[in-house]
Amino acid sequence: MHPDICPRYPSRRTPSGVPNESGSDRCANTEPEPDHPGPELEARHGWRAPYHPPDPPQHDPHALRPDPGLKADPNVFASLPPAGDAAGASAQEELSVPVEGLVYVLDRLPDPRGKKSVVGVHREGEESIRPLVDRVDLFAFRSRQAFARLVSDYYGLQVQVVMGHLALVLDTLERAQPLASPASPVELTSERREAARELLAAPDLLERVGAAAEALGYVGEERNKRLAYLIATSRLLPKPLSAILLAPSGCGKSGLLEAVEALLPPEHVVFLSRLTPQALFYAGPDQLRHKLVLVDEHEGASEADYSIRTLQSKGFLTLRSPGRGEVRVEGPISLMSGTTSSDLNPENLSRCLELALDDSPAQTRRIHEAQRRAWAGKRPPKLDRQPFRDAQRLLESVPVVIPFAEQLRFPARTTHDRRGNQKLLGLVAAHALLHQRQRERDARGQVLAAPADYAAVYELLLPVVREDLDGLSPRAARAYRELAERGRQTRRDLSNTLGWSYNTAKRALAELVAQELVTEAESGPPAVYRVLEANALGTTSDLTPPTALGA
């Protein structure tokens, strides 16, 4: 054994004669690390802890140099279990991915839920030599980076090269597992079918949905609950809608997503914490068709922005990959996610409704009252979710026609409003689709929207259209309108007027200052703000009132 190399962890080298942190010139830590596989897994896989041969190899600096087009062996897919074959995955003893002279061997497919895989690394053709092995969460950057440092030290490679290897390994193995397993159709009994039909025939169907969300524990947010449910229902349309929930931390973004998910059939929803760049391409040909994709935090889907936009716009994804030919994933999808950031990709925002959640003191008091009622033993009766889920199962994915569409007007302030008009029409179609058992159909079986559909959407969407100014978050737009109408205000004045927290008003004003729409009239303290000009102020007078349609 080379005197400078720790016998158990070769990456921990101590120059000869130089004491380490413990004051000894021996290895600083000869005990297994918490993330080390341990003797049980070593015995199971026939592997031992990282081992360095007695005579350290002289690493050629030109060896294993990455090609410009880094590729795994196309035949690697032959060793992987079929997509969605859980039994095949569990029965597989190991998964091997060769990359540039190294072979990465895993005991299991990577799990995005934080479970680690045992990963071994050896040179091609040296299978008989015990590999370098560790436990790694390939979905976690820090875990990958730590393992990459160990591999780079062991095989004389740059850390960035090994990180590229691991990214390719993760991408290759992701192709072997779909985002969702095919769900078998749910057979409804006559009693369940009748209860679902009764719900779909109720004139106050959307109000019942709001009450159901409250029974699930999500109080307040009456407008956003209904809009979110309509957006979820739009997944059945040829051009579904999407939404981004905007709010500071702790305002209930995840709670709203969970409430919507609870009222939909599980087989119609894909709930994700994170999307990698290639994940949607390997979801399975029909696993996303007319599905609602929920991403807990928008940042978790940022790596897949391009594929999400393509799936929203075109309704399908295509990719040509080595060893598998052309991969095609059919949509369309409806996407919903939440974020605390107001600095989002404009291309994503133009395809989504921005729903600002209520962080006012009044909403906080409503939450407090619900919490106190629960602790006092006055919980609402447990909600029977089955009729709501079955009602969605009975909905037909059929086209919707809006006979009065040509009579509708929408503000034409900027190019941003071109998609805003499309979102309005999409919501009207979603409302008609939800009430399809109460609507007439034409000779081709298409659902005919009624003025009542527009009236319901008008009431829900009016505040959104009013606060929608090109390039601004909903809260910044509302603050801008308030300053333009009432004149100069401090942060505290604005927070009191709009019922916001001080920090929310502070962030909204900072965004307006950055957009050069607002400036400090007096530096303070307290600072006083005023609008530079009111030309950017939109108007909702062009939005057709329901009375014009006789609704």
Side-chain angles (χ1 to χ4, degrees), residues 461-473:
L461 203 60
L462 184 62
V464 178
V465 175
R466 177 177 170 82
E467 295 169 10
D468 188 13
L469 296 179
D470 188 26
L472 295 179
S473 68

Side-chain angles (χ1 to χ4, degrees), residues 214 217-222 225 247-253 255-256 357-375 379:
E214 184 149 349
Y218 196 80
V219 299
E221 298 289 1
E222 300 302 328
K225 284 189 292 194
S249 299
C251 282
K253 298 182 295 295
L256 180 53
L357 300 192
D358 187 358
D359 63 346
S360 68
Q363 173 66 2
T364 303
R365 285 192 292 270
R366 283 191 286 270
I367 294 172
H368 287 172
E369 290 169 3
Q371 292 168 343
R372 286 190 284 266
R373 285 195 300 270
W375 278 100
R379 296 178 182 272

Side-chain angles (χ1 to χ4, degrees), residues 143-196:
S143 182
R144 290 199 311 271
Q145 189 177 56
F147 185 63
R149 288 173 180 156
L150 184 63
V151 175
S152 68
D153 200 21
Y154 196 83
Y155 289 107
L157 298 174
Q158 294 183 355
V159 175
Q160 294 86 342
V161 172
V162 181
M163 287 293 283
H165 289 185
L166 295 178
L168 185 60
V169 169
L170 178 61
D171 178 68
T172 302
L173 294 176
E174 273 191 326
R175 306 177 192 184
Q177 49 184 340
L179 288 178
S181 301
S184 56
V186 177
E187 294 293 334
L188 301 184
T189 63
S190 58
E191 292 79 6
R192 289 176 58 179
R193 188 177 295 272
E194 184 60 32

